[in-house]
Amino acid sequence: MMDAGWIILLPALPMLAAALIGGLHFFGLIAGEADEAHSARISLTGMTLSALLACGALAADSFGWLADSQFYGHWLGSGRVGIAFSLRGTGFNLRVAALFALLLLLTMRFSVNYLHREAGFHRFFFILNLFAAAMLLLVLSGNALFSFAGWEAAGVCSYWLIAYAYDRPVAAHNAVRVFVSNRIGDAGFLLGTALALLWLENCDWQTINRGAADLDRGDATLLALCFALAAFAKSAQIPFTPWLARALEGPTPSSAIFYGGVMTHAGVFLLIQLQPLFNQTPTAMQLLVLVGGLTTVYSYWVGLSQTDIKSSQIYAASAQLGLMFLECGLGFWNLAGWHLCAHAVVRCYLLLTAPSILHATHGHPIRPVSPRWANCRWAFMASLQRGWLEPALDWMLVKPVQQLARDMRNIDDRIVDPALGAPAPAIKAISSLAQWEESKMGAKLDNDEDSFARGSGLAGKLAQWTASLLSWFEYRFILRGIGRDSINWGRRLGRRANRFEQLLLSPRYLILFVLITLMVALGYGA
């Protein structure tokens, strides 16, 4: 066995490329069409080296030269609970990493010409490199915690690229819907990780798989269902399927690599990685069969009525993902693994060539829909409306939550606030206080005596004089100032604060803050 500590370079090189592009663009060293070649060269260099290393590691693994895991240090130790930073450098993890690296490299090369002269060219390649690092970390990580870091970072990149044209309300709305839908799966992933730490005192994938046999049937089932929920959401299975169609707002290369070739297969990869755990839980296996079968039928049915090529492709991808879940539920794990790899290649190619599909298929016969289905009007209408799945979910989940929020607001306004002695909004209370202070000070000036502070004796008079001085200062420099000269200064300060806020909300600063947060978190953990 040879030391393969360099496996860490597979996700590190795209991360370095993303940091370099982001830093240069942030400081204005690369910008606009003139510097597109620099961003493209940095991206392709980093991704090419990563892909070559992945292929070299795959060749070495075929000869049995690599150790199963590469240990880089302890991340956290508390009592008997320990979390290490390790990467899996052999087997299915390495094969999927090599495949994803090659697909990401091809997509990057395709994007150089496709996004030429786009205003967000540098931003796109920054996000794509960050996504590449996240996905490679996800599939190579030796434990659930670091897999979740890649899982979450890939979701954030997906959000950024769906909202690539963030000035369009539809793109921003779809990005938020997709982001929120996937957070449900993230909750399942986090809960599964927490349960593994609680019951097994470790979240390494190997420990989870080995310890599954020692867990009670109910505990093992709950643990498997948590990770199954994460897989359902990430791979757009029923009832999460509608988010996949909304994700097509991004550029075609991002649709091809995110939702055709790489990211949507993360759920299937998670199931295959936890094969021993699921084999111990028949309930979870039956759920995989049910959800995968329903998703396959639903996606095929809805795909029959789609009128644009990208929607047709995305529902075809959803149907294939449903079949992979069905295969996992039936115990055909090797078949599901080969299906994942083959489908990633085919779907990525089909989505990359979607803009020219009409030219590619010109003159070829198109197989018509079965007459039995073509003449079934109700089935066509339901397919055209995508089974009303998303409105049904809104009615069952979103609207009740919104109504609950309104009810809680009414309870606050009518019961809690009066009970706490705050019946009026803050702005009205401040206004009333200012009016009261002005009327009080006006009376003081008319009578030449402050009725608020009275005292007798030396101490009393000193207190009275001090109170009078403070009241005079408050009236002259605060209450009168707010109504006169200081309001202009306040407005100028407010306008500057608004400009500063808009600057912070620009994409480059948001990306910088996210990177700084990740770097600080990783540095603190180390």
Side-chain angles (χ1 to χ4, degrees), residues 10-11 14-15 17-19 47 100-101 103-105 107-108 123-139 149-161 234 253-266 348 515:
L10 269 65
M15 176 62 76
M47 202 64 240
F100 284 179
L103 292 178
L104 285 160
L105 176 60
T107 303
M108 282 186 185
R123 172 163 50 95
F124 176 88
F125 278 93
F126 164 78
I127 298 172
L128 193 57
N129 278 283
L130 186 61
F131 170 75
M135 287 304 305
L136 292 174
L137 176 63
L138 190 160
V139 298
W151 185 283
E152 191 68 16
V156 173
C157 293
S158 172
Y159 169 77
W160 284 337
L161 283 180
K234 185 65 78 173
S254 65
S255 299
I257 198 64
F258 278 61
Y259 316 113
V262 175
M263 196 180 76
T264 52
H265 294 90
C348 184
L515 283 177

Side-chain angles (χ1 to χ4, degrees), residues 465-515:
W465 294 338
T466 303
S468 299
L469 180 62
L470 292 176
S471 298
W472 175 84
F473 177 81
E474 179 185 8
Y475 176 71
R476 292 287 181 181
F477 293 97
I478 299 178
L479 294 178
R480 291 181 64 185
I482 289 176
R484 294 179 181 177
D485 298 334
S486 297
I487 193 169
N488 295 326
W489 179 83
R491 286 175 178 173
R492 290 195 298 270
L493 181 62
R495 285 194 294 268
R496 291 176 181 174
N498 287 335
R499 287 197 296 269
F500 181 70
E501 182 181 10
Q502 292 174 357
L503 184 64
L504 292 181
L505 290 176
S506 61
R508 62 180 182 273
Y509 288 99
L510 286 176
I511 293 171
L512 177 66
F513 291 155
V514 170
L515 283 177

Side-chain angles (χ1 to χ4, degrees), residues 56-80:
L58 189 62
D61 181 51
S62 65
F63 291 101
W65 293 346
L66 299 182
D68 185 56
S69 296
Q70 301 298 325
F71 178 78
Y72 297 96
H74 289 283
W75 173 263
L76 174 67
S78 178
R80 291 183 298 176

Side-chain angles (χ1 to χ4, degrees), residues 102-117:
L102 290 173
L103 292 178
L104 285 160
L105 176 60
L106 292 174
T107 303
M108 282 186 185
R109 184 62 191 87
F110 176 88
S111 302
V112 172
N113 294 329
Y114 188 87
L115 291 169
H116 178 51
R117 295 182 178 176

Side-chain angles (χ1 to χ4, degrees), residues 436-446 471-472 475 479:
W436 178 78
E437 288 283 356
E438 280 202 51
S439 63
K440 181 177 74 66
M441 292 307 298
K444 173 181 178 290
L445 292 176
D446 291 339
S471 298
W472 175 84
Y475 176 71
L479 294 178

